[in-house]
Amino acid sequence: MPLVMLLYIFNYMDRTNISYAQLGMEDDLGITTATFGAVSSIFFLAYVVFEIPSNMALKKFGARLWLARIAISWGIVTVILGFVNSVTHLYIVRILLGIAEAGLYPGLLLYLTFWFRQRERGRAIAAMALAQPIAMIVGSFTGGLILDHIHWFDMSSWRWVFILQGAPTIILGIVILFYLPDTPSKARFLTKDESAWLEGQIESEYPDGREEETVKQQLGAIKNPKILHLAVANLFAACGLYGFTFFLPQIIKQMNPDYSATNIGFLGTLPFLVGAVGMVLIARFSDRTGERKYHTIVSLLVAAVGLFGTIQCVGTPAVAMVFLSMAAIGVLGYLAPYWAMASQVLSKKETVVGLAAINTIAALGGFFGPYVIGKNASADDVTIGLYFPIGCLILSGIMLAFVKVPKMVRGAGDRSVTSPVEA
């Protein structure tokens, strides 16, 4: 889990660090609010195309090799972002970043299904998803400091945001290559009996077993109405998540135009600190009760209320920060119960392509969210664009209300709903 979390922390930080770099590159490259929205979102178009093939490659080549490849390649591309000299170059490298990162999140979700039973999976996903607020906390704080204080070799500070936050990922990828076990049976920290017990427990939860499917059969899972319904609902939720994430620095800057980059970076950490606590509590309560759907729906509605309150109170920074924190609780808190619900709704045969398909379609929310906000916002008023993600969050909650979630299956030998972690 530490390796999984580190991998996702750097992944999310390198994906979104453009939101802080933009505060410096605005003058150098002539980027408007609309252009920033388009540049932020173009990443997701490339990401979508390669998502499902990447998840299938992970199953074929193993998690260790494939996740290492993803990390090393996206780290290199992130560093290259620090050397672009035009908006055109920025578009091209952001597309390359989408290709490099494609498949990481569904790959990690699939990887966790090899290690955790259904009743512990919510907290495992929450631990991984906790990487998002941690990434934004670290990215916000360091991004602001870099912009104000680092101008090495006569290079603009925004370039160092990409270089200094991207280079560690290359090292992490090499560590993954040597130390991440593909399955419990290959883990050095488990005995043969322990790994056999764990794999047996997980296998017993899926009555359809582990039959190998052809590529055609795997891709056929995309036509499954359950997968499409979950995917479209998550697409709307992602519009809120990424709209909030990419435009948070601009929202804070709108509260007080006199804020320095360091001030913006520091204040940007606060909603994610609150959101991280909320995410953990929601995930733990969802696992404890075994209920997924309504935890997800309530979280989405809390996020919508938080964004609406931010629009109304942006002129009062203290109150606006409270609403931004509420939005952070919602957009982060829905992740763990949602993905636990998705892995519970899908059969074992559907998870390989199903989780990737859901995340692939949802990634389009990462395109539409920032793009539409950027088109509707102006340099003086970013919050006017937030009405779009608000509507998307509400629509996502309505769609998920119609999802039928099967009862949690107990593995062989399970006699209690209390997990070993709690015990």
Side-chain angles (χ1 to χ4, degrees), residues 4-335:
V4 167
M5 287 187 67
L6 279 173
L7 192 59
Y8 196 42
I9 285 171
F10 280 102
N11 172 258
Y12 206 78
M13 187 164 65
D14 290 344
R15 178 186 302 186
T16 59
N17 56 14
I18 192 172
S19 63
Y20 281 90
Q22 188 267 345
L23 296 174
M25 69 168 63
E26 187 173 11
D27 294 330
D28 284 3
L29 302 183
I31 294 180
T32 64
T33 303
T35 302
F36 168 70
V39 169
S40 299
S41 62
I42 198 70
F43 161 93
F44 292 94
L45 291 183
Y47 189 89
V48 163
V49 173
F50 291 92
E51 188 90 313
I52 293 176
S54 179
N55 225 36
M56 294 169 68
L58 182 144
K59 186 180 180 184
K60 181 177 178 63
F61 297 110
R64 179 182 59 83
L65 180 62
W66 197 249
L67 292 176
R69 193 284 304 165
I70 291 175
I72 293 170
S73 61
W74 105 58
I76 292 172
V77 175
T78 300
V79 171
I80 293 174
L81 274 168
F83 297 91
V84 299
N85 291 310
S86 69
V87 175
T88 300
H89 292 161
L90 191 59
Y91 274 113
I92 293 171
V93 183
R94 285 288 292 180
I95 290 172
L96 291 176
L97 184 64
I99 295 172
E101 286 191 20
L104 180 75
Y105 189 66
L108 291 177
L109 287 173
L110 178 63
Y111 183 63
L112 293 183
T113 68
F114 301 158
W115 289 86
F116 293 92
R117 299 180 300 174
Q118 288 180 3
R119 66 185 67 263
E120 290 99 24
R121 201 169 294 158
R123 269 166 296 168
I125 294 172
M128 184 183 76
L130 192 60
Q132 288 194 17
I134 292 174
M136 294 310 299
I137 291 166
V138 175
S140 298
F141 188 71
T142 59
L145 289 176
I146 292 170
L147 285 173
D148 277 344
H149 301 289
I150 295 183
H151 306 83
W152 298 332
F153 304 108
D154 293 326
M155 292 173 61
S156 298
S157 58
W158 64 266
R159 298 183 183 277
W160 288 106
V161 172
F162 292 122
I163 296 170
L164 294 178
Q165 292 185 354
T169 304
I170 302 172
I171 300 172
L172 178 61
I174 296 172
V175 173
I176 293 290
L177 186 61
F178 284 97
Y179 291 102
L180 188 74
D182 289 315
T183 60
S185 61
K186 295 182 180 180
R188 298 175 184 174
F189 55 85
L190 293 177
T191 66
K192 289 184 178 180
D193 288 342
E194 288 171 338
S195 61
W197 175 85
L198 180 57
E199 291 185 344
Q201 286 278 302
I202 294 171
E203 285 294 324
S204 69
E205 294 181 332
Y206 296 97
D208 58 348
R210 286 185 179 270
E211 304 96 321
E212 293 295 325
E213 310 99 339
T214 65
V215 172
K216 183 177 180 180
Q217 288 171 328
Q218 289 178 332
L219 292 176
I222 300 174
K223 300 176 183 178
N224 188 322
K226 291 186 298 184
I227 293 174
L228 290 176
H229 188 96
L230 287 167
V232 174
N234 199 27
L235 184 155
F236 288 122
C239 286
L241 170 62
Y242 287 110
F244 172 79
T245 300
F246 278 103
F247 281 89
L248 180 63
Q250 285 88 329
I251 294 171
I252 295 175
K253 185 177 181 181
Q254 184 179 333
M255 292 179 189
N256 187 340
D258 293 330
Y259 284 153
S260 67
T262 301
N263 294 146
I264 294 172
F266 175 74
L267 291 174
T269 66
L270 299 182
F272 290 105
L273 283 170
V274 177
V277 174
M279 169 188 281
V280 172
L281 293 177
I282 291 169
R284 286 186 64 83
F285 195 72
S286 176
D287 264 3
R288 193 178 297 273
T289 62
E291 201 288 315
R292 310 298 190 187
K293 182 166 73 172
Y294 294 107
H295 282 78
T296 306
I297 294 171
V298 171
S299 296
L300 293 169
L301 296 180
V302 167
V305 172
L307 290 179
F308 182 77
T310 300
I311 297 172
Q312 306 306 315
C313 302
V314 71
T316 310
V319 179
M321 288 301 296
V322 172
F323 281 111
L324 282 175
S325 298
M326 184 183 297
I329 291 173
V331 297
L332 296 172
Y334 98 91
L335 290 168

